[in-house]
Each structure stands twice: as C-alpha cells, then as structure tokens.
Amino acid sequence: MAPGARPVLSIRGLRKSFGSVEVLKGIDLDVRARELVFVIGPSGSGKSTLLRCCNRLEEPTDGSILFDGIDVLSPRTDINAVRRRIGMVFQSFNLYPHMTAAGNVMLALRRVLKKGRAEADAIARAALARVGLADKAGSYPGELSGGQQQRVAIARALALEPVAVLFDEPTSALDPELVGSVLQVMRELREAGMTMVVVSHEMGFARAAADRVLFMDQGEIVEEGPPAQIFGAPRHARTRAFIEQIVRH
Amino acid sequence: MTRWERFLDTFFNVEVMARYLPKIAEGFVVTVELALLVVVSGLALGLLLAVVRTLRVRVLNALIVLYVDLFRALPPLVVIVLVYFGGPAAGWSPSGFVATWLSLAVVLSAFAEEIFWAGILAVPRGQWEAARSTGLGALQTLGWVVLPQAVRMTVPPLTNRTIAITKGTALGSVVAVSEILSSAQTAVSFSFNPSPLTLGAAAYLVLFIPVVMLGRWVETRFAWKR
Ligand SMILES: Nc1ncnc2c1ncn2[C@@H]1O[C@H](COP(=O)(O)OP(=O)(O)OP(=O)(O)O)[C@@H](O)[C@H]1O
Ligand SMILES: [Mg+2]
C-alpha cells in the first residue's frame, strides 16, 4: 500500500540532552500515513531516545513534535490521550508478569478506554488472534516463548487502535529461530496499512518492507533514502562503514 | 515432692490454670484486637507513605525518610512509654491500649514503608514505560502494574516484620493493657504460681502459629509463574 501524503508524525529540530551530553542534535522527520520508516545506526546514536521522545517517555529539551495534528510537547496536551494512540513495542517486551496474555491486552482497554469487561475481553481476543496467539489468551508471560511474548506486546499496542506504532528493536532480544514469527506479524501490519517506525537491524525485512531507511549517528540523521539506496549505494562514508559492518555479521 | 512433681506444679498446675483460664482468654481477645489494629493500620500507613514517596516531591520524601529512620531506630517500648507517659504532659492522655496500638502501628508503618519502597524500586522501569505508553496515568500504573508486583516481592520480609512487631503487643503490659501477658502476670501474683504464664505462652502460640502459616500460604498464593 502506498503511503499517504498526510504526515502522521512531524518532528522539527528535536533536541535531547542528558545532563551536558546532547544525544539528539536537531532531528527533522516526517512520517506519512501508512509509511514504514526504518531507523538504523550504531549503539548510542540516539535511536531509542528518538522514539521515546515521540510519546514523551523522554522529555525533549527542544524542538516540536506534531502527532496526528496534536502538539505533543504542549503543556496543555493530555499526554495520556496521545500515548494511547501511539503504540510502542519494546526490545524487552515488558509484559506484565502477573497478568495473562489477555489481561495484558485488556488493562488499558479497561482502565484507559473504560471499556466493560466483556467488550475488552472480545477486543483482546481479536488482537491476540491477529498475532496468531488466539490459543494463548490464558497463558502468563512466563509460560510463553520470547517470540510469543513479543507478539502479545504487539497485540497490547494494537488493541488500542493506534494511529502509528513505534518498534524499538523488537527482535533483538529473541533467539534467531523466533525472529521470523514477529517479523511475520509486522509484515502483516504493514500490509494492513499501519504507520510504523521501526528501529532494527533486520536488513532483509527492511529491504522487503521499508519505504524509507534513516541512518542515525551521534544524534543526527546522516542519510535517508529507499532501502536499496541505503543498503546498496550509501552516499556517506559513515553510512557505508556501518552497513559494511552489519553485513559482515 | 519429687523434682518432676515440683516442675509440673510450677508450670502446669491444672487447678490454677483452670481458675485463670477466663482471665487469659479475655487477655487473648485484647491481644487479637490490638494485633489486628496494628497490622491493618501499620501496613496501610506504610503503603500510603511508599506511594507518596513515588511522587518524588523532595520535601515530602525527606520527611518520610526522617520518619522511617526515626521509628526504625527507636525501640518500640520506648515509643509506647513516651506516648503513654509523655502524652499527658502535652495535653493528650491516651489509654494504654491506644498508646500501644498507635506506637506499634507507627513502628510497623516505618518498616513497611521501607519494604514497600524497596519492592516498588525492584519493579523494572520497563513495566512503568509499557503501562504509561498505553495511556495509563502514574497512579493507575502504580495500582495496576507496579504495586501488584512489588507487594508480591515484599510478602516474605513483610510477613516476618509484621509478626515481629505484632508480638510487641506484649509490651502493652507495661502501660496497663490487660492483654495476654499482663493477664497472666496478674494471675501469677494472685495465685503465687507461674502456671498462668504457661497458659499465656500457649495463647501466643494459638494466635501466632496460624499467622505464620497464613504468611506462608500468602507467599505461595501470590507467587506467579515467571
Ligand atoms: N536515561 C539516560 N540518562 C543518561 N544518558 C542516557 C539515558 N538514556 C540514554 N542515554 C544515552 O543517550 C545516548 C543514546 O542512547 P539511545 O538509547 O537512544 O541509543 P540507541 O541508538 O538506541 O542505542 P542502542 O542501539 O544501543 O539501543 C547513549 O549515549 C546513552 O548512554
Ligand atoms: Mg536503543
């Protein structure tokens, strides 16, 4: 599905410092509806921080973020209302260990969207079915494989019908044989037209699914372009060096 | 009398025991009331303080830490005596029962706050982030995600501490609360025979063995599959 013209996420001059260390040095980024933007870059380049600024898990130092027309950084914005419309998937899943898979998905449906038990349960089951885990609704995270846990986490994000989903290295904590199942879910999401920003080093997936790849280094977007260009013919020396290094692994 | 007979007469004089059983039973009821009040109010106050501490308001946190350190350092008996004998000087004359209850509750709350707080800190940051990223507020995250996990982790140390402090209800005997120990001591001074103390000890066992067992049950009940 071709990306729409309307930017869902519009970031301008985004800066973030931790103490005296500037981790994001003026990021400009537009993500259009139904677009899948891939973000790569060396460890410590600020990829996670960029994602976490989008829903203010990290408080930016400067800049502006518009999400679906809402000024995310305005003090008048109800940040919880914004957050429930931006899905977030973490490297370490972060499932609630004391709740079943269905309970994990239902929590925000019940407490944020204030849905009744029956309705929340039905939505949770549908979301779990969507990630291929209809039969695991009653399982606790500890009883699930890493790949299954990450798919529950994706279901938890999807159940709130987000406008966009941010993925922070969704497969890098997984054993290699479990990566495929998570990527499969992400591929289906993309085909369904979900707007996604994905931090990951799964190059095969990026080549097949990404509209655009950004290369970040030292808090800046060094280069961006279609996957074929970034992986095949990078313009900047830093990008080239990084691509060579991950290809070798 | 043989030694053995003297031993039996001293600690297990059936006639004396039978005579003072009703008094000890009354003391038992008082101890149970006191213990329940201490446990409920002490744990509730400790939890409340730990929750307030998560708001990370500097001044409040400094006060909480001061309170916690103070009442963890003071021997419970000192607190009880201070409240009971010092209270009237400040224009407040609590009964021995109230003085013991409040003192032990405050001491328990100080330990409980510290234990709850350690439990809250032990919940990984990712749990907060996951919950907040779905739009849950700070207190909702605390209530639905963090505290259920924190409380599970804290059940063993909390049970131990609660039992230890609840046993301090015996200190009420110093300020004229007719709980188990004080009833037993009174009985001893009337009967010139220590057997009521044996009865008192038995009463403590009857009270606390089920509590210890309940603690163990709660521990297994609250464990979840990881
Ligand atoms: N809470 C924090 N306090 C201080 N420094 C931080 C904090 N979070 C991140 N940093 C620093 O910010 C920089 C960027 O971190 P970030 O996690 O965004 O990088 P990344 O590109 O996601 O790296 P990785 O590939 O290792 O996940 C790093 O130098 C990191 O040490
Ligand atoms: Mg990262």
Side-chain angles (χ1 to χ4, degrees), chain B residues 6-111:
Chain B
R6 182 167 311 142
F7 173 79
L8 282 184
D9 180 65
T10 307
F11 292 104
F12 297 93
N13 186 318
V14 179
E15 190 260 327
V16 172
M17 280 180 163
R19 186 156 13 111
Y20 289 99
L21 185 62
K23 278 280 167 229
I24 306 273
E26 280 168 33
F28 183 80
V29 173
V30 173
T31 295
V32 170
E33 285 171 357
L34 198 50
L36 282 177
L37 281 172
V38 167
V39 170
V40 171
S41 53
L43 293 182
L45 181 58
L47 185 60
L48 179 71
L49 290 173
V51 167
V52 170
R53 203 166 164 187
T54 62
L55 304 178
R56 295 181 191 273
V57 180
R58 270 237 178 109
V59 188
L60 282 180
N61 284 14
L63 288 175
I64 291 173
V65 171
L66 183 71
Y67 170 92
V68 165
D69 286 355
L70 193 68
F71 286 105
R72 289 196 309 162
L74 282 172
L77 181 57
V78 173
V79 181
I80 292 171
V81 167
L82 216 64
V83 169
Y84 186 72
F85 295 105
W92 173 53
S93 310
S95 67
F97 185 90
V98 169
T100 310
W101 163 32
L102 292 183
S103 303
L104 293 180
V106 160
V107 171
L108 178 56
S109 76
F111 282 97

Side-chain angles (χ1 to χ4, degrees), chain B residues 42-43 46-47 50 107-117 158 161:
Chain B
L43 293 182
L47 185 60
V107 171
L108 178 56
S109 76
F111 282 97
E113 191 282 335
E114 203 59 19
I115 294 171
F116 282 130
W117 178 243
L158 211 53
R161 187 52 74 177

Side-chain angles (χ1 to χ4, degrees), chain A residues 44 46-49 91 168-169 199:
Chain A
K47 308 179 296 293
S48 299
T49 306
Q91 178 174 1
D168 192 0
E169 308 206 29
V199 173

Side-chain angles (χ1 to χ4, degrees), chain B residues 124-143:
Chain B
R125 212 165 66 120
Q127 294 287 309
W128 285 91
E129 293 179 346
R132 298 306 304 269
S133 78
T134 60
L136 264 76
L139 284 178
Q140 284 180 315
T141 302
L142 198 63

Side-chain angles (χ1 to χ4, degrees), chain A residues 52 55 57-58 80 83-84 86 88 90 93-99 107-108 111-112 114 140-143 156 160, chain B residues 124-138 140-141 143-149 152 224-226:
Chain A
R52 296 157 58 80
N55 64 357
L57 283 184
E58 236 37 282
N80 291 333
R83 281 176 176 159
R84 71 169 189 245
I86 307 181
M88 191 153 207
F90 303 85
F93 329 137
N94 298 349
L95 292 184
Y96 316 130
H98 58 300
M99 295 181 189
L107 181 63
R111 306 301 156 195
V112 179
K114 311 285 184 199
Y140 284 86
E143 302 168 323
R156 178 170 68 182
L160 297 170
Chain B
R125 212 165 66 120
Q127 294 287 309
W128 285 91
E129 293 179 346
R132 298 306 304 269
S133 78
T134 60
L136 264 76
Q140 284 180 315
T141 302
W144 294 105
V145 175
V146 176
L147 282 182
Q149 298 181 53
R152 277 169 170 85
W224 69 88
K225 297 159 190 158
R226 276 210 168 263

